Amino acid sequence: MTFEEKLKQYARLVVRIGVNVQKGQDIVLRCPAECYEFARMIAKEGYEAGAKQVIVHFKDEQISRLTYDYADISVFETVPEWQAESLNKYAKEGACFISISGGDPEVFKGVDSNKLKANAKASDKAFEPFYKRMMASEIPWNVVAVPNKKWAMKVFPNVSEEEAMEKLWNAIFLAVRIDEGDAVEKWNAHNALLAEKCKKLNEMQFAKLHYKNSIGTDFIVGLAKNHHWEGGSEKDENGVEFVANMPTEEVFTMPDHRIGEGTVVSALPLSFEGTLIKNFRLTFRNGRIEEFSAEEGYEALERLLNSDEGSRHLGEVALVPYESPISNMNILFYNTLFDENASCHFAFGECYPTTIQGGNAMTEEELFEAGGNHSMNHVDFMIGTSDLSIIGIKEDGTKVPVFENGNFVL
């Protein structure tokens, strides 16, 4: 296929499988300004699929950086009502949401951390209705990536901008299964494989998982009682299937935020608010991160972990085989959407209510008592390696191998 044909397949995939827009449903597209051409393709595909309206919110990361550099901190302490009302209103009305990522991984490096923290807190409060519906999968949502030059040069620093962009586009297409043949059919088959893996894990109902590898991870995490493994497609409140992340190679569930002992060492850098956090180590006691270190980006890690109490606890456990399409590319993407799908990972912060039986019907307090974590953040970080072992531990103490040498054996 030509590049243009692949782009059209990509847009079709996002609309038809990603959010699976239904006739008469609105699409809200949040997009970097420089991705306007792909935004137009999404809009066209959306209307052809029967969307009532495609609403596009453009944003420019360079203007955002300038605002952080020059604006007073008071600007970041509130969110304009019209911005909050837009997302919250469309979410309440059952729209589907597409977000395009792919900016400069270090665009906010050196920004005043007080401004970043103020903006994060204000956004969490203002968009709370939207975030709650999204985390509970009440509405279809999807995150995909479109490269820009700075991101491409970060991933491929030893070639020209043009070649770097071409290489990154090719890697993205490969990751989302766009080459010869029908990408939609390939994703249907992929979703079926992930569903089968979830079925096996759900039948096991492990009480804990024990992680161990040669770089220093030796960690036991508890799983919430009646937890539910998910992966690939999921269903919104109307029973419509959608895929939240493209690419995705993971199956994931809810940890018990109160149970976690030992040390976790990062396997890949984490990009948080435009700063790369490298080679970090976390020590857990009673499910809480009590000690941490980082060779690079310590202040960003500290800011993340001190955002609120929930950021010191885990909200997601995700399993990804080391032998997977993204991992096999042997590319560090500096983008969590891709790097998390090359490696087993955890997430600091908010849990997904859908990953425990009856979670969507629970109050926030009931979910917390069941083991579900609550936080303003949900940030994935990668811990999978080629020698990672994971042992599942049942309530009666029975131990079952889940991973050996970085891959599923269950």
Side-chain angles (χ1 to χ4, degrees), residues 332-347:
L332 178 58
F333 283 88
Y334 298 97
N335 182 300
T336 301
L337 179 63
F338 292 85
D339 291 333
E340 72 168 1
N341 284 297
S343 170
C344 284
H345 55 274
F346 297 121

Side-chain angles (χ1 to χ4, degrees), residues 211-219 261-270 277-284 289 291-295 301 343-346 348 381-385 387-388:
Y211 292 71
K212 198 167 185 179
N213 66 15
S214 61
I215 65 172
T217 291
D218 189 353
F219 179 60
E261 301 291 333
T263 300
V264 175
V265 178
S266 65
L268 294 170
L270 167 64
I277 307 170
K278 296 182 178 180
N279 299 325
F280 56 94
R281 178 181 294 261
L282 312 167
T283 300
F284 288 77
I289 298 169
E291 299 173 18
F292 60 93
S293 62
E295 289 186 10
L301 179 60
S343 170
C344 284
H345 55 274
F346 297 121
F348 305 108
F381 63 98
M382 287 60 76
I383 54 93
T385 58
D387 66 345
L388 179 67

Side-chain angles (χ1 to χ4, degrees), residues 12 30 41 49 61 106 148 225 237 247 281 348 358:
R12 178 171 177 259
R30 295 184 291 170
M41 298 176 79
E61 66 179 12
E106 298 184 277
N148 71 8
K225 190 173 182 179
E237 62 182 354
R281 178 181 294 261
F348 305 108

Side-chain angles (χ1 to χ4, degrees), residues 305-317:
L305 296 179
N306 290 338
S307 299
D308 58 16
E309 177 58 28
S311 296
R312 292 270 183 155
H313 299 261
L314 297 179
E316 179 188 355
V317 169

